[in-house]
Amino acid sequence: MTPRPFAFRREWWPGRAFAPESGLLPAHVERRHVAAAMAGCAALAVVGLVDPSARTLTPPCPLRSLTGLDCPLCGATRATHALLHGDVVRALDFNALYVGALPVVLALGLVWLVRGRLPAALRTARATWVLLSVGVAFTVARNLPFAPFEVLSSAVTRQ
């Protein structure tokens, strides 16, 4: 029996073009990685089109809701919107750690895409503790109410 012309057939699925046997991507890249990248691009498009300072795109930060303190990622959505519109200074005002770490994260993503794994130095417990310590130190510093640390708080906190 021949399939109907508009019936769902597995080979029509768009993710099939990104299968390892297609040769378009390295063998270590799986469909779930492609799906995550596509979802990330869709999220970037939404953040680029809708100003998160004017409309709420995400649920409120639990730490900020409970304590009134900024977490390490408070302001990251607004910073992403500012970066997508080319306003680096405003993005730094929203979240300096995020803006500073973004090029490093993108470079590491490119290294993973090309080599198939992250550098050995980043796959250690020490690297995890360093990243955690930087996040905690930034959180403490951005919540201190005196100069020069008050500039690290998210722009909404200062208004």
Side-chain angles (χ1 to χ4, degrees):
M1 177 176 212
T2 57
R4 297 187 317 243
F6 295 103
F8 174 78
R9 293 191 306 189
R10 188 175 180 98
E11 58 269 11
W12 289 356
W13 184 249
R16 191 159 175 89
F18 298 110
E21 63 270 7
S22 71
L24 292 175
L25 294 172
H28 66 277
V29 177
E30 300 173 8
R31 286 187 184 166
R32 63 188 171 112
H33 301 132
V34 174
M38 291 169 63
C41 289
L44 277 176
V46 170
V47 170
L49 293 172
V50 180
D51 184 6
S53 296
R55 291 197 176 132
T56 304
L57 293 175
T58 58
C61 171
L63 180 68
R64 183 162 172 82
S65 296
L66 293 173
T67 65
L69 300 173
D70 288 338
C71 78
L73 289 177
C74 278
T77 307
R78 290 172 284 143
T80 302
H81 178 79
L83 286 173
L84 289 172
H85 289 272
D87 194 352
V88 178
V89 174
R90 187 168 180 220
L92 283 167
D93 191 35
F94 286 130
N95 192 322
L97 178 67
Y98 174 77
V99 174
L102 200 56
V104 175
V105 171
L106 292 175
L108 287 173
L110 187 61
V111 166
W112 173 83
L113 187 61
V114 171
R115 292 187 179 173
R117 62 181 178 187
L118 292 174
L122 293 177
R123 292 181 277 136
T124 63
R126 177 177 285 178
T128 303
W129 281 108
V130 167
L131 290 175
L132 184 63
S133 300
V134 168
V136 169
F138 180 72
T139 302
V140 170
R142 81 183 309 197
N143 287 297
L144 294 175
F146 49 87
F149 302 108
E150 61 190 11
V151 297
L152 292 176
S153 67
S154 93
V156 171
T157 306
R158 291 193 308 272
Q159 293 175 354

